[in-house]
Every structure is written in C-alpha cells, then in structure tokens.
Amino acid sequence: MNEAVKDKKLTEDLVVSPPVERLVSMLQVISTWVDDIPPIDQPQRFGNKAFKQFYEKLLSESSSLLKQALDETFHGCIPEVSVYLNESFGNATRIDYGTGHELAFLAFLCCLYKLAVLAETDATATVFCIFKTYIDLCRKLQRTYKMEPAGSHGVWSLDDFQFVPFIWGSSQLMGHRRITPARAVEQDYYESFHKDYIYLAAIKHICSVKTGPFAEHSNQLWNISGVPLWSKVNSGLIKMYKAELLAKFPVIQHFLFGSLLTLAPNH
C-alpha cells in the first residue's frame, strides 16, 4: 500500500474494481446509520451513549452487509472477517476509539487480500477509496458521539485517534517539489491541498478540532515538520508504528487471531 500510493494524488483518475466499489458502498451504508442515530442529550460532555445504538446495529447487520459486498465464494469466511470489521469503529463500553481499532480495519483489509477478494492491482484504490472512506467515517463518529481517544499519549502522539494516514499520506508526498514537511503544517498549504493528500487532510482535521498553537497541541507532528525529506518522514513513521503500536502490549493484547491471521510463526 505504501509503495502503491507513492507520489500520487487522491484526485487522480483511478481504475476501481467491483470488489472495491462494493466495499466503499458498504462503508457508505454504515455512515448513513450515524445520521439515523443522532447523539442524545446527556450530562456527560464526552462519550455520547447513542454510539452504543450505532454499535448494536453494526453487530447485528455487519454480516449481511458483507454478504452483499463479497462474492458468494467468500461467504464462509464472513464469521471471521466480520469480527475485524466490527472492531474497527471503537469500543461501545468506553465509547472510545484509537489506533488499535484502526489496526483492526487494517486486519480486515489484510484478510480480504489473503482471501483474494482484493488483488495487488487494487492497492492504490484500497488506500484512496476504501481506507479514505473509512477514515472519513471514523472522524464522523468521533465528532458526532464525542468519542474519547483510546490510550492517547496527548501531545506526544501523532494524533489522538489515527496513525496510518500519516504513513500512507507521507508516501503520497514523496518527491513533491512544493509541499515539504515544513509546509504541510502551514494553513495555506493544508487548506489548498487537503483534497489531494491524506497527510494534509489529517493536519486540516486536527486543526479544525483543536485550538491553540500547532506546536503545542500536536508537538510530535510539529517535530516531524522539521525533517527535510518525505522519504525520511515515511521510513521514520513506519519504524514508530512498529515500536509504539505493534510492539506495545496494551494495544496488541486486544488483537484477535484466527485461521486467516494466525499466531503461527511466519517461516
């Protein structure tokens, strides 16, 4: 995925296969549920309990959605694959969302590649269509239900909720002559180019939900803006993802293994 989106814009013409189209449509249906289940009046400022209704609907209908999105050949795998999809949108008890939930969606995509639902030729569309729709949906959930960050590191994390948009977003910008890491955090640039680049869309989103100087509320991203090359940013973020997320027990203890993603050593 990282290599597939290198030096490409979101707005470029893209060949989208039927499986990708159906998966995007599935996410769009889930997005309509947020409109149908508005937040309720409650004394707590954060963690609106209407999210629990959304989540109950997800649990009850995800299998039927996947039956529509996947060819009948793959219907036998839905009980396993649906678990990763259900885990991708947050925790209904704590009403929070974090990088562990984002990881569950990556696992969902990984399963689809292992099953050959998606092919290598779908890699760019997986990021630009499926993953982009997923991220937009997650931000909608976070805003609507005032979800808490799960295990946030505060200003020392990249973002309270997401990580992967910065990895694939930095790959998009490799070789860009005008948008440097330093300029990516400047308002003129992220306002002008957020529709073309995932990284800038993420910066724009952060600035829309946080107040004060960028260097204070997003210190880690501010530090990254001092790195001269996008290739260095990209490789550094991949190392950070492995060390700070995949290698951290509080995150990985919740990860579910099955027949598609096993605990068996990879020889």
Side-chain angles (χ1 to χ4, degrees), residues 210-261:
K210 293 191 175 185
T211 57
F214 188 86
E216 292 182 13
H217 66 63
S218 300
N219 186 264
Q220 188 76 282
L221 286 169
W222 177 256
N223 290 338
I224 288 170
S225 72
V227 178
L229 300 173
W230 283 115
S231 57
K232 293 287 186 182
V233 172
N234 186 253
S235 61
L237 288 174
I238 291 172
K239 289 176 184 175
M240 185 179 175
Y241 190 78
K242 290 176 179 176
E244 297 298 324
L245 198 134
L246 297 180
K248 295 295 185 183
F249 180 73
V251 175
I252 213 67
Q253 68 176 327
H254 301 294
F255 193 85
L256 298 166
F257 295 93
S259 64
L260 291 169
L261 302 178

Side-chain angles (χ1 to χ4, degrees), residues 14-23 117-119 121-122 125:
L14 194 63
V15 176
V16 180
S17 68
V20 170
E21 288 180 341
R22 291 195 296 269
L23 288 163
V117 173
L118 297 172
T121 52
D122 293 314

Side-chain angles (χ1 to χ4, degrees), residues 153-216:
H153 294 167
V155 297
W156 301 109
S157 66
L158 286 182
D159 176 273
D160 286 343
F161 299 102
Q162 316 293 162
F163 195 117
V164 176
F166 298 100
I167 297 177
W168 290 341
S170 59
S171 179
Q172 271 189 284
L173 288 159
M174 281 191 206
H176 201 290
R177 295 180 180 179
R178 187 178 174 192
I179 305 173
T180 62
R183 285 174 171 168
V185 298
E186 294 179 10
Q187 186 174 2
D188 287 349
Y189 280 87
Y190 64 70
E191 289 286 357
S192 299
F193 297 103
H194 70 275
K195 291 182 180 179
D196 289 325
Y197 298 102
I198 294 170
Y199 193 102
L200 299 186
I203 298 292
K204 184 180 187 301
H205 174 71
I206 289 170
C207 292
S208 72
V209 297
K210 293 191 175 185
T211 57
F214 188 86
E216 292 182 13

